[in-house]
Short mmCIF file of all heavy atoms in Angstrom, two decimals:
data_model
loop_
_atom_site.label_atom_id
_atom_site.label_comp_id
_atom_site.label_asym_id
_atom_site.label_seq_id
_atom_site.Cartn_x
_atom_site.Cartn_y
_atom_site.Cartn_z
N MET A 22 1.99 -24.19 -8.83
CA MET A 22 2.29 -24.34 -10.25
C MET A 22 1.54 -23.28 -11.03
O MET A 22 0.36 -23.04 -10.82
CB MET A 22 1.86 -25.74 -10.70
CG MET A 22 2.28 -26.05 -12.13
SD MET A 22 1.96 -27.80 -12.48
CE MET A 22 1.26 -27.66 -14.13
N THR A 23 2.24 -22.68 -11.95
CA THR A 23 1.66 -21.60 -12.72
C THR A 23 0.97 -22.15 -13.97
O THR A 23 1.50 -23.02 -14.64
CB THR A 23 2.74 -20.60 -13.16
OG1 THR A 23 3.44 -20.17 -12.01
CG2 THR A 23 2.14 -19.40 -13.84
N ARG A 24 -0.21 -21.64 -14.19
CA ARG A 24 -0.92 -22.03 -15.40
C ARG A 24 -0.14 -21.55 -16.63
O ARG A 24 0.40 -20.45 -16.64
CB ARG A 24 -2.31 -21.38 -15.38
CG ARG A 24 -3.18 -21.73 -16.55
CD ARG A 24 -4.63 -21.30 -16.31
NE ARG A 24 -4.77 -19.87 -16.11
CZ ARG A 24 -4.88 -18.99 -17.10
NH1 ARG A 24 -4.85 -19.38 -18.35
NH2 ARG A 24 -5.04 -17.71 -16.84
N PRO A 25 -0.06 -22.40 -17.66
CA PRO A 25 0.64 -21.98 -18.88
C PRO A 25 0.01 -20.72 -19.46
O PRO A 25 -1.17 -20.46 -19.26
CB PRO A 25 0.44 -23.16 -19.83
CG PRO A 25 0.13 -24.32 -18.96
CD PRO A 25 -0.58 -23.75 -17.75
N ALA A 26 0.81 -19.95 -20.15
CA ALA A 26 0.31 -18.73 -20.77
C ALA A 26 -0.85 -19.07 -21.69
O ALA A 26 -0.84 -20.08 -22.40
CB ALA A 26 1.42 -18.04 -21.55
N PHE A 27 -1.86 -18.23 -21.64
CA PHE A 27 -3.07 -18.46 -22.41
C PHE A 27 -3.29 -17.31 -23.37
O PHE A 27 -3.19 -16.14 -22.97
CB PHE A 27 -4.27 -18.59 -21.46
CG PHE A 27 -5.60 -18.59 -22.16
CD1 PHE A 27 -6.01 -19.69 -22.90
CD2 PHE A 27 -6.44 -17.50 -22.07
CE1 PHE A 27 -7.23 -19.69 -23.54
CE2 PHE A 27 -7.66 -17.50 -22.70
CZ PHE A 27 -8.05 -18.59 -23.43
N THR A 28 -3.57 -17.63 -24.61
CA THR A 28 -3.92 -16.62 -25.59
C THR A 28 -5.38 -16.82 -25.96
O THR A 28 -5.75 -17.85 -26.51
CB THR A 28 -3.04 -16.73 -26.84
OG1 THR A 28 -1.67 -16.58 -26.45
CG2 THR A 28 -3.39 -15.64 -27.84
N CYS A 29 -6.19 -15.85 -25.64
CA CYS A 29 -7.63 -15.94 -25.90
C CYS A 29 -7.89 -15.95 -27.41
O CYS A 29 -7.33 -15.15 -28.14
CB CYS A 29 -8.34 -14.76 -25.24
SG CYS A 29 -10.11 -14.79 -25.48
N PRO A 30 -8.73 -16.88 -27.87
CA PRO A 30 -8.99 -16.98 -29.31
C PRO A 30 -10.07 -16.04 -29.82
O PRO A 30 -10.29 -15.98 -31.02
CB PRO A 30 -9.45 -18.43 -29.45
CG PRO A 30 -10.17 -18.69 -28.18
CD PRO A 30 -9.40 -17.93 -27.12
N VAL A 31 -10.75 -15.35 -28.91
CA VAL A 31 -11.80 -14.44 -29.36
C VAL A 31 -11.15 -13.27 -30.08
O VAL A 31 -10.32 -12.57 -29.49
CB VAL A 31 -12.65 -13.95 -28.17
CG1 VAL A 31 -13.74 -13.01 -28.66
CG2 VAL A 31 -13.25 -15.12 -27.42
N PRO A 32 -11.48 -13.06 -31.35
CA PRO A 32 -10.75 -12.07 -32.15
C PRO A 32 -11.16 -10.62 -31.90
O PRO A 32 -10.50 -9.72 -32.36
CB PRO A 32 -11.07 -12.48 -33.59
CG PRO A 32 -12.41 -13.12 -33.49
CD PRO A 32 -12.46 -13.81 -32.15
N ASP A 33 -12.23 -10.41 -31.17
CA ASP A 33 -12.76 -9.05 -31.06
C ASP A 33 -12.71 -8.53 -29.63
O ASP A 33 -13.70 -8.06 -29.09
CB ASP A 33 -14.19 -8.99 -31.59
CG ASP A 33 -15.08 -10.08 -30.98
OD1 ASP A 33 -14.56 -10.89 -30.18
OD2 ASP A 33 -16.27 -10.12 -31.29
N HIS A 34 -11.53 -8.60 -29.01
CA HIS A 34 -11.39 -8.05 -27.67
C HIS A 34 -11.75 -6.58 -27.67
O HIS A 34 -11.27 -5.82 -28.50
CB HIS A 34 -9.96 -8.18 -27.16
CG HIS A 34 -9.49 -9.58 -27.03
ND1 HIS A 34 -10.14 -10.50 -26.27
CD2 HIS A 34 -8.43 -10.19 -27.55
CE1 HIS A 34 -9.49 -11.64 -26.36
NE2 HIS A 34 -8.45 -11.49 -27.14
N HIS A 35 -12.55 -6.20 -26.69
CA HIS A 35 -12.90 -4.79 -26.53
C HIS A 35 -11.72 -4.04 -25.91
O HIS A 35 -11.53 -2.86 -26.13
CB HIS A 35 -14.13 -4.69 -25.64
CG HIS A 35 -14.78 -3.34 -25.64
ND1 HIS A 35 -15.25 -2.76 -26.80
CD2 HIS A 35 -15.03 -2.47 -24.65
CE1 HIS A 35 -15.77 -1.58 -26.49
NE2 HIS A 35 -15.64 -1.38 -25.21
N SER A 36 -10.92 -4.75 -25.13
CA SER A 36 -9.76 -4.17 -24.46
C SER A 36 -8.83 -5.33 -24.16
O SER A 36 -8.94 -6.39 -24.76
CB SER A 36 -10.18 -3.46 -23.17
OG SER A 36 -10.84 -4.36 -22.31
N THR A 37 -7.90 -5.15 -23.24
CA THR A 37 -7.04 -6.26 -22.85
C THR A 37 -7.90 -7.39 -22.30
O THR A 37 -8.80 -7.17 -21.51
CB THR A 37 -6.06 -5.81 -21.76
OG1 THR A 37 -5.30 -4.72 -22.27
CG2 THR A 37 -5.12 -6.94 -21.38
N CYS A 38 -7.63 -8.61 -22.73
CA CYS A 38 -8.47 -9.73 -22.31
C CYS A 38 -8.23 -10.07 -20.84
O CYS A 38 -7.10 -10.35 -20.45
CB CYS A 38 -8.18 -10.95 -23.17
SG CYS A 38 -9.31 -12.30 -22.81
N PRO A 39 -9.29 -10.07 -20.03
CA PRO A 39 -9.11 -10.39 -18.61
C PRO A 39 -8.57 -11.80 -18.40
O PRO A 39 -7.90 -12.06 -17.41
CB PRO A 39 -10.52 -10.26 -18.03
CG PRO A 39 -11.32 -9.57 -19.05
CD PRO A 39 -10.67 -9.76 -20.37
N LEU A 40 -8.88 -12.71 -19.32
CA LEU A 40 -8.42 -14.09 -19.15
C LEU A 40 -6.91 -14.22 -19.32
O LEU A 40 -6.32 -15.21 -18.93
CB LEU A 40 -9.13 -15.00 -20.15
CG LEU A 40 -10.62 -15.19 -19.91
CD1 LEU A 40 -11.23 -16.03 -21.02
CD2 LEU A 40 -10.87 -15.87 -18.57
N GLU A 41 -6.29 -13.21 -19.92
CA GLU A 41 -4.84 -13.25 -20.12
C GLU A 41 -4.10 -12.48 -19.03
O GLU A 41 -2.88 -12.40 -19.07
CB GLU A 41 -4.49 -12.68 -21.50
CG GLU A 41 -5.07 -13.50 -22.64
CD GLU A 41 -4.84 -12.88 -24.00
OE1 GLU A 41 -4.29 -11.76 -24.06
OE2 GLU A 41 -5.19 -13.52 -25.00
N SER A 42 -4.84 -11.92 -18.08
CA SER A 42 -4.19 -11.10 -17.05
C SER A 42 -3.66 -11.96 -15.92
O SER A 42 -4.17 -13.05 -15.65
CB SER A 42 -5.20 -10.09 -16.49
OG SER A 42 -6.08 -10.75 -15.60
N PRO A 43 -2.63 -11.49 -15.25
CA PRO A 43 -2.09 -12.24 -14.09
C PRO A 43 -3.13 -12.46 -13.00
O PRO A 43 -3.12 -13.50 -12.34
CB PRO A 43 -0.95 -11.35 -13.59
CG PRO A 43 -0.55 -10.55 -14.79
CD PRO A 43 -1.82 -10.33 -15.56
N ASP A 44 -4.03 -11.52 -12.82
CA ASP A 44 -5.07 -11.69 -11.80
C ASP A 44 -5.94 -12.89 -12.09
O ASP A 44 -6.30 -13.66 -11.20
CB ASP A 44 -5.94 -10.43 -11.71
CG ASP A 44 -5.21 -9.29 -11.00
OD1 ASP A 44 -4.14 -9.55 -10.42
OD2 ASP A 44 -5.72 -8.17 -11.04
N ALA A 45 -6.30 -13.06 -13.35
CA ALA A 45 -7.12 -14.20 -13.72
C ALA A 45 -6.34 -15.50 -13.55
O ALA A 45 -6.90 -16.52 -13.16
CB ALA A 45 -7.60 -14.06 -15.17
N SER A 46 -5.05 -15.44 -13.81
CA SER A 46 -4.24 -16.65 -13.71
C SER A 46 -4.24 -17.21 -12.30
O SER A 46 -4.12 -18.42 -12.09
CB SER A 46 -2.79 -16.36 -14.12
OG SER A 46 -2.73 -15.97 -15.47
N MET A 47 -4.39 -16.34 -11.31
CA MET A 47 -4.38 -16.82 -9.93
C MET A 47 -5.62 -17.64 -9.62
O MET A 47 -5.61 -18.50 -8.76
CB MET A 47 -4.30 -15.65 -8.95
CG MET A 47 -2.96 -14.92 -9.01
SD MET A 47 -2.73 -13.80 -7.61
CE MET A 47 -4.19 -12.77 -7.73
N ASN A 48 -6.71 -17.36 -10.32
CA ASN A 48 -7.98 -18.00 -10.02
C ASN A 48 -8.32 -19.16 -10.93
O ASN A 48 -9.07 -20.06 -10.55
CB ASN A 48 -9.12 -16.97 -10.12
CG ASN A 48 -9.02 -15.92 -9.04
OD1 ASN A 48 -8.54 -16.18 -7.94
ND2 ASN A 48 -9.44 -14.72 -9.35
N ILE A 49 -7.80 -19.16 -12.13
CA ILE A 49 -8.20 -20.14 -13.12
C ILE A 49 -7.19 -21.29 -13.15
O ILE A 49 -5.99 -21.08 -13.28
CB ILE A 49 -8.32 -19.49 -14.51
CG1 ILE A 49 -9.43 -18.44 -14.48
CG2 ILE A 49 -8.61 -20.54 -15.58
CD1 ILE A 49 -9.54 -17.63 -15.75
N LEU A 50 -7.70 -22.51 -13.02
CA LEU A 50 -6.84 -23.69 -12.99
C LEU A 50 -6.42 -24.10 -14.39
O LEU A 50 -5.28 -24.44 -14.63
CB LEU A 50 -7.56 -24.85 -12.31
CG LEU A 50 -7.96 -24.58 -10.84
CD1 LEU A 50 -8.72 -25.78 -10.29
CD2 LEU A 50 -6.73 -24.31 -9.99
N TRP A 51 -7.36 -24.11 -15.28
CA TRP A 51 -7.01 -24.40 -16.66
C TRP A 51 -8.05 -23.81 -17.60
O TRP A 51 -9.19 -23.53 -17.20
CB TRP A 51 -6.83 -25.90 -16.92
CG TRP A 51 -7.99 -26.78 -16.55
CD1 TRP A 51 -8.16 -27.42 -15.35
CD2 TRP A 51 -9.11 -27.15 -17.37
NE1 TRP A 51 -9.33 -28.15 -15.39
CE2 TRP A 51 -9.93 -28.01 -16.60
CE3 TRP A 51 -9.49 -26.83 -18.67
CZ2 TRP A 51 -11.10 -28.55 -17.10
CZ3 TRP A 51 -10.67 -27.36 -19.16
CH2 TRP A 51 -11.45 -28.22 -18.39
N VAL A 52 -7.64 -23.62 -18.82
CA VAL A 52 -8.49 -23.01 -19.85
C VAL A 52 -8.36 -23.84 -21.11
O VAL A 52 -7.27 -24.29 -21.46
CB VAL A 52 -8.05 -21.57 -20.16
CG1 VAL A 52 -8.99 -20.92 -21.17
CG2 VAL A 52 -7.99 -20.73 -18.90
N GLU A 53 -9.49 -24.10 -21.75
CA GLU A 53 -9.40 -24.74 -23.05
C GLU A 53 -10.21 -23.94 -24.05
O GLU A 53 -11.14 -23.22 -23.69
CB GLU A 53 -9.87 -26.19 -23.00
CG GLU A 53 -11.35 -26.35 -22.72
CD GLU A 53 -11.76 -27.82 -22.73
OE1 GLU A 53 -10.95 -28.66 -23.15
OE2 GLU A 53 -12.89 -28.11 -22.33
N THR A 54 -9.82 -24.08 -25.30
CA THR A 54 -10.53 -23.37 -26.35
C THR A 54 -11.26 -24.37 -27.23
O THR A 54 -10.78 -25.48 -27.45
CB THR A 54 -9.56 -22.54 -27.21
OG1 THR A 54 -8.62 -23.41 -27.82
CG2 THR A 54 -8.83 -21.52 -26.36
N VAL A 55 -12.43 -23.96 -27.70
CA VAL A 55 -13.22 -24.76 -28.63
C VAL A 55 -13.55 -23.84 -29.79
O VAL A 55 -14.47 -23.03 -29.69
CB VAL A 55 -14.50 -25.31 -27.97
CG1 VAL A 55 -15.27 -26.19 -28.94
CG2 VAL A 55 -14.16 -26.07 -26.69
N GLY A 56 -12.77 -23.91 -30.86
CA GLY A 56 -12.90 -22.92 -31.92
C GLY A 56 -12.53 -21.56 -31.35
O GLY A 56 -11.45 -21.39 -30.79
N THR A 57 -13.45 -20.60 -31.45
CA THR A 57 -13.21 -19.30 -30.83
C THR A 57 -13.99 -19.17 -29.53
O THR A 57 -14.12 -18.08 -28.99
CB THR A 57 -13.57 -18.13 -31.77
OG1 THR A 57 -14.96 -18.21 -32.09
CG2 THR A 57 -12.74 -18.18 -33.04
N GLY A 58 -14.50 -20.30 -29.03
CA GLY A 58 -15.10 -20.33 -27.71
C GLY A 58 -14.04 -20.65 -26.67
O GLY A 58 -12.97 -21.15 -26.99
N VAL A 59 -14.35 -20.35 -25.40
CA VAL A 59 -13.41 -20.56 -24.31
C VAL A 59 -14.15 -21.17 -23.14
O VAL A 59 -15.25 -20.75 -22.79
CB VAL A 59 -12.77 -19.23 -23.85
CG1 VAL A 59 -11.79 -19.47 -22.71
CG2 VAL A 59 -12.08 -18.53 -25.01
N VAL A 60 -13.53 -22.18 -22.51
CA VAL A 60 -14.04 -22.70 -21.24
C VAL A 60 -12.91 -22.58 -20.23
O VAL A 60 -11.82 -23.12 -20.45
CB VAL A 60 -14.49 -24.16 -21.36
CG1 VAL A 60 -15.02 -24.65 -20.02
CG2 VAL A 60 -15.57 -24.30 -22.44
N ALA A 61 -13.17 -21.87 -19.12
CA ALA A 61 -12.17 -21.69 -18.06
C ALA A 61 -12.70 -22.33 -16.79
O ALA A 61 -13.87 -22.13 -16.42
CB ALA A 61 -11.89 -20.21 -17.84
N HIS A 62 -11.86 -23.07 -16.11
CA HIS A 62 -12.25 -23.72 -14.87
C HIS A 62 -11.41 -23.18 -13.72
O HIS A 62 -10.21 -22.98 -13.86
CB HIS A 62 -12.04 -25.24 -14.96
CG HIS A 62 -13.01 -25.92 -15.85
ND1 HIS A 62 -14.13 -26.58 -15.38
CD2 HIS A 62 -13.04 -26.03 -17.19
CE1 HIS A 62 -14.80 -27.08 -16.41
NE2 HIS A 62 -14.16 -26.76 -17.53
N GLY A 63 -12.05 -22.99 -12.58
CA GLY A 63 -11.32 -22.54 -11.40
C GLY A 63 -12.24 -21.74 -10.50
O GLY A 63 -13.46 -21.80 -10.62
N ALA A 64 -11.64 -20.99 -9.60
CA ALA A 64 -12.42 -20.15 -8.69
C ALA A 64 -12.76 -18.85 -9.41
O ALA A 64 -12.18 -17.80 -9.15
CB ALA A 64 -11.63 -19.88 -7.42
N VAL A 65 -13.68 -18.96 -10.35
CA VAL A 65 -14.04 -17.81 -11.18
C VAL A 65 -14.99 -16.92 -10.40
O VAL A 65 -16.05 -17.37 -9.96
CB VAL A 65 -14.68 -18.26 -12.50
CG1 VAL A 65 -15.07 -17.05 -13.34
CG2 VAL A 65 -13.73 -19.17 -13.28
N THR A 66 -14.63 -15.67 -10.23
CA THR A 66 -15.46 -14.73 -9.48
C THR A 66 -16.43 -14.02 -10.42
O THR A 66 -16.21 -13.96 -11.63
CB THR A 66 -14.59 -13.66 -8.79
OG1 THR A 66 -13.91 -12.90 -9.81
CG2 THR A 66 -13.56 -14.31 -7.86
N THR A 67 -17.48 -13.49 -9.84
CA THR A 67 -18.43 -12.72 -10.65
C THR A 67 -17.75 -11.45 -11.18
O THR A 67 -18.11 -10.95 -12.24
CB THR A 67 -19.68 -12.35 -9.85
OG1 THR A 67 -19.29 -11.69 -8.64
CG2 THR A 67 -20.48 -13.59 -9.52
N THR A 68 -16.74 -10.98 -10.46
CA THR A 68 -15.99 -9.82 -10.95
C THR A 68 -15.27 -10.16 -12.25
O THR A 68 -15.28 -9.37 -13.21
CB THR A 68 -14.96 -9.36 -9.89
OG1 THR A 68 -15.66 -9.00 -8.71
CG2 THR A 68 -14.15 -8.17 -10.39
N LEU A 69 -14.67 -11.35 -12.28
CA LEU A 69 -13.99 -11.77 -13.51
C LEU A 69 -15.01 -11.98 -14.63
O LEU A 69 -14.77 -11.59 -15.77
CB LEU A 69 -13.19 -13.05 -13.26
CG LEU A 69 -12.47 -13.64 -14.48
CD1 LEU A 69 -11.52 -12.64 -15.10
CD2 LEU A 69 -11.73 -14.91 -14.09
N LEU A 70 -16.14 -12.58 -14.29
CA LEU A 70 -17.18 -12.78 -15.31
C LEU A 70 -17.61 -11.44 -15.91
O LEU A 70 -17.74 -11.31 -17.13
CB LEU A 70 -18.39 -13.50 -14.70
CG LEU A 70 -19.59 -13.67 -15.63
CD1 LEU A 70 -19.24 -14.56 -16.82
CD2 LEU A 70 -20.77 -14.27 -14.86
N THR A 71 -17.81 -10.47 -15.05
CA THR A 71 -18.20 -9.14 -15.52
C THR A 71 -17.13 -8.54 -16.42
O THR A 71 -17.43 -7.96 -17.47
CB THR A 71 -18.44 -8.20 -14.32
OG1 THR A 71 -19.51 -8.74 -13.54
CG2 THR A 71 -18.84 -6.81 -14.78
N ALA A 72 -15.86 -8.73 -16.06
CA ALA A 72 -14.76 -8.21 -16.86
C ALA A 72 -14.69 -8.92 -18.21
O ALA A 72 -14.44 -8.30 -19.25
CB ALA A 72 -13.45 -8.36 -16.11
N VAL A 73 -14.92 -10.23 -18.19
CA VAL A 73 -14.90 -11.00 -19.44
C VAL A 73 -16.02 -10.53 -20.36
O VAL A 73 -15.82 -10.35 -21.57
CB VAL A 73 -15.03 -12.51 -19.15
CG1 VAL A 73 -15.35 -13.30 -20.41
CG2 VAL A 73 -13.73 -13.03 -18.52
N ARG A 74 -17.21 -10.32 -19.79
CA ARG A 74 -18.33 -9.84 -20.61
C ARG A 74 -18.03 -8.47 -21.20
O ARG A 74 -18.34 -8.19 -22.36
CB ARG A 74 -19.61 -9.79 -19.77
CG ARG A 74 -20.21 -11.16 -19.54
CD ARG A 74 -21.40 -11.10 -18.59
NE ARG A 74 -22.12 -12.38 -18.58
CZ ARG A 74 -22.95 -12.75 -17.62
NH1 ARG A 74 -23.17 -11.97 -16.58
NH2 ARG A 74 -23.57 -13.92 -17.69
N ALA A 75 -17.40 -7.60 -20.42
CA ALA A 75 -17.08 -6.25 -20.89
C ALA A 75 -16.04 -6.29 -22.01
O ALA A 75 -16.07 -5.46 -22.93
CB ALA A 75 -16.58 -5.40 -19.74
N ALA A 76 -15.14 -7.28 -21.94
CA ALA A 76 -14.08 -7.35 -22.94
C ALA A 76 -14.53 -8.02 -24.22
O ALA A 76 -13.89 -7.89 -25.26
CB ALA A 76 -12.88 -8.10 -22.36
N HIS A 77 -15.63 -8.77 -24.15
CA HIS A 77 -16.13 -9.48 -25.33
C HIS A 77 -17.61 -9.17 -25.51
O HIS A 77 -18.46 -10.05 -25.32
CB HIS A 77 -15.94 -10.99 -25.16
CG HIS A 77 -14.56 -11.40 -24.75
ND1 HIS A 77 -14.24 -11.68 -23.45
CD2 HIS A 77 -13.43 -11.55 -25.46
CE1 HIS A 77 -12.94 -12.01 -23.39
NE2 HIS A 77 -12.42 -11.94 -24.58
N PRO A 78 -17.91 -7.94 -25.88
CA PRO A 78 -19.32 -7.50 -25.92
C PRO A 78 -20.16 -8.23 -26.96
O PRO A 78 -21.38 -8.22 -26.87
CB PRO A 78 -19.23 -6.00 -26.22
CG PRO A 78 -17.90 -5.83 -26.88
CD PRO A 78 -17.00 -6.85 -26.26
N THR A 79 -19.53 -8.88 -27.93
CA THR A 79 -20.30 -9.57 -28.95
C THR A 79 -20.54 -11.03 -28.60
O THR A 79 -21.22 -11.74 -29.34
CB THR A 79 -19.59 -9.51 -30.32
OG1 THR A 79 -18.35 -10.22 -30.23
CG2 THR A 79 -19.34 -8.07 -30.74
N ARG A 80 -19.99 -11.46 -27.45
CA ARG A 80 -20.12 -12.86 -27.07
C ARG A 80 -21.00 -13.02 -25.85
O ARG A 80 -21.12 -12.14 -25.01
CB ARG A 80 -18.74 -13.46 -26.77
CG ARG A 80 -17.82 -13.50 -27.96
CD ARG A 80 -18.40 -14.37 -29.08
NE ARG A 80 -17.44 -14.50 -30.16
CZ ARG A 80 -16.57 -15.51 -30.24
NH1 ARG A 80 -16.58 -16.46 -29.36
NH2 ARG A 80 -15.71 -15.55 -31.23
N TYR A 81 -21.60 -14.21 -25.75
CA TYR A 81 -22.40 -14.58 -24.61
C TYR A 81 -21.49 -15.33 -23.64
O TYR A 81 -20.86 -16.33 -24.02
CB TYR A 81 -23.55 -15.47 -25.09
CG TYR A 81 -24.55 -15.83 -24.03
CD1 TYR A 81 -25.21 -14.84 -23.29
CD2 TYR A 81 -24.87 -17.17 -23.79
CE1 TYR A 81 -26.15 -15.19 -22.35
CE2 TYR A 81 -25.82 -17.52 -22.84
CZ TYR A 81 -26.45 -16.52 -22.12
OH TYR A 81 -27.38 -16.87 -21.18
N ALA A 82 -21.38 -14.84 -22.41
CA ALA A 82 -20.51 -15.48 -21.42
C ALA A 82 -21.34 -15.91 -20.22
O ALA A 82 -22.20 -15.16 -19.74
CB ALA A 82 -19.42 -14.52 -20.96
N THR A 83 -21.11 -17.15 -19.77
CA THR A 83 -21.89 -17.68 -18.65
C THR A 83 -20.95 -18.23 -17.59
O THR A 83 -19.83 -18.65 -17.87
CB THR A 83 -22.83 -18.80 -19.11
OG1 THR A 83 -22.07 -19.86 -19.72
CG2 THR A 83 -23.85 -18.29 -20.10
N LEU A 84 -21.45 -18.25 -16.36
CA LEU A 84 -20.72 -18.85 -15.25
C LEU A 84 -21.60 -19.91 -14.62
O LEU A 84 -22.72 -19.64 -14.19
CB LEU A 84 -20.36 -17.78 -14.21
CG LEU A 84 -19.59 -18.26 -12.97
CD1 LEU A 84 -18.28 -18.90 -13.36
CD2 LEU A 84 -19.37 -17.10 -12.01
N ASP A 85 -21.11 -21.15 -14.63
CA ASP A 85 -21.86 -22.27 -14.08
C ASP A 85 -20.95 -22.99 -13.09
O ASP A 85 -20.07 -23.76 -13.48
CB ASP A 85 -22.28 -23.21 -15.22
CG ASP A 85 -23.06 -24.41 -14.70
OD1 ASP A 85 -23.50 -24.39 -13.53
OD2 ASP A 85 -23.23 -25.38 -15.46
N GLY A 86 -21.13 -22.71 -11.82
CA GLY A 86 -20.25 -23.30 -10.81
C GLY A 86 -18.83 -22.79 -11.01
O GLY A 86 -18.58 -21.59 -10.91
N ASN A 87 -17.93 -23.70 -11.29
CA ASN A 87 -16.52 -23.33 -11.48
C ASN A 87 -16.14 -23.20 -12.94
O ASN A 87 -14.95 -23.17 -13.26
CB ASN A 87 -15.61 -24.35 -10.80
CG ASN A 87 -15.68 -24.28 -9.29
OD1 ASN A 87 -15.95 -23.23 -8.72
ND2 ASN A 87 -15.47 -25.40 -8.64
N SER A 88 -17.12 -23.15 -13.81
CA SER A 88 -16.83 -23.09 -15.24
C SER A 88 -17.35 -21.80 -15.85
O SER A 88 -18.55 -21.51 -15.78
CB SER A 88 -17.47 -24.28 -15.97
OG SER A 88 -16.94 -25.49 -15.49
N LEU A 89 -16.44 -21.05 -16.44
CA LEU A 89 -16.80 -19.85 -17.18
C LEU A 89 -16.70 -20.20 -18.66
O LEU A 89 -15.69 -20.73 -19.10
CB LEU A 89 -15.85 -18.71 -16.83
CG LEU A 89 -16.11 -17.33 -17.45
CD1 LEU A 89 -15.44 -16.25 -16.60
CD2 LEU A 89 -15.59 -17.24 -18.87
N THR A 90 -17.77 -19.93 -19.40
CA THR A 90 -17.78 -20.24 -20.82
C THR A 90 -18.01 -18.97 -21.62
O THR A 90 -18.93 -18.20 -21.32
CB THR A 90 -18.88 -21.26 -21.15
OG1 THR A 90 -18.68 -22.43 -20.36
CG2 THR A 90 -18.85 -21.63 -22.63
N ILE A 91 -17.16 -18.76 -22.63
CA ILE A 91 -17.44 -17.74 -23.65
C ILE A 91 -17.86 -18.53 -24.87
O ILE A 91 -17.08 -19.27 -25.47
CB ILE A 91 -16.18 -16.89 -23.98
CG1 ILE A 91 -15.65 -16.21 -22.71
CG2 ILE A 91 -16.53 -15.85 -25.05
CD1 ILE A 91 -14.34 -15.46 -22.96
N TRP A 92 -19.13 -18.40 -25.21
CA TRP A 92 -19.70 -19.22 -26.28
C TRP A 92 -19.25 -18.72 -27.65
O TRP A 92 -19.06 -17.53 -27.85
CB TRP A 92 -21.22 -19.21 -26.18
CG TRP A 92 -21.68 -19.82 -24.89
CD1 TRP A 92 -21.85 -19.18 -23.70
CD2 TRP A 92 -21.95 -21.20 -24.66
NE1 TRP A 92 -22.22 -20.09 -22.73
CE2 TRP A 92 -22.29 -21.33 -23.28
CE3 TRP A 92 -21.94 -22.34 -25.46
CZ2 TRP A 92 -22.63 -22.56 -22.70
CZ3 TRP A 92 -22.27 -23.56 -24.89
CH2 TRP A 92 -22.60 -23.67 -23.54
N PRO A 93 -19.08 -19.67 -28.58
CA PRO A 93 -18.76 -19.27 -29.96
C PRO A 93 -19.91 -18.46 -30.54
O PRO A 93 -21.02 -18.49 -30.01
CB PRO A 93 -18.61 -20.62 -30.68
CG PRO A 93 -18.37 -21.63 -29.60
CD PRO A 93 -19.13 -21.11 -28.40
N PRO A 94 -19.67 -17.75 -31.65
CA PRO A 94 -20.75 -17.00 -32.28
C PRO A 94 -21.91 -17.93 -32.63
O PRO A 94 -21.70 -19.10 -32.95
CB PRO A 94 -20.10 -16.43 -33.54
CG PRO A 94 -18.64 -16.47 -33.25
CD PRO A 94 -18.41 -17.62 -32.33
N ALA A 95 -23.12 -17.38 -32.61
CA ALA A 95 -24.31 -18.20 -32.82
C ALA A 95 -24.34 -18.84 -34.20
O ALA A 95 -24.83 -19.94 -34.38
CB ALA A 95 -25.56 -17.36 -32.59
N ASP A 96 -23.80 -18.11 -35.17
CA ASP A 96 -23.79 -18.69 -36.52
C ASP A 96 -22.36 -19.03 -36.86
O ASP A 96 -21.93 -19.18 -37.87
CB ASP A 96 -24.43 -17.74 -37.51
CG ASP A 96 -23.77 -16.37 -37.50
OD1 ASP A 96 -22.96 -16.10 -36.61
OD2 ASP A 96 -24.07 -15.57 -38.38
ZN1 ZN B 8 -10.52 -12.71 -24.66
#
């Protein structure tokens, strides 16, 4: 089953958002947004985490087990 199309809510993409790429879709089971924050669950690789950090240089991104989080802005 294919994950539904996902539109990243982070407004300041540095480039094409890795979370919206077909490669990411193969690994991520589901994604939810919390404001302009993002939580992605699945077999998230450190390569994807690195790509996410590169695409969102103003955001703090963490990987905890199977959960990748792009945190909302601090203020
Ligand atoms: Zn994004």
Side-chain angles (χ1 to χ4, degrees):
M22 187 171 137
T23 305
R24 182 168 61 84
F27 170 72
T28 301
C29 181
V31 180
D33 51 357
H34 297 304
H35 193 58
S36 58
T37 302
C38 186
L40 292 176
E41 297 175 356
S42 77
D44 285 350
S46 297
M47 292 193 305
N48 293 329
I49 296 174
L50 299 177
W51 55 267
V52 184
E53 67 178 349
T54 61
V55 182
T57 61
V59 180
V60 180
H62 289 261
V65 179
T66 63
T67 54
T68 299
L69 178 57
L70 175 63
T71 299
V73 166
R74 284 175 169 161
H77 310 99
T79 64
R80 296 299 185 93
Y81 186 56
T83 58
L84 179 60
D85 179 14
N87 290 331
S88 298
L89 184 158
T90 303
I91 302 175
W92 297 88
D96 55 350

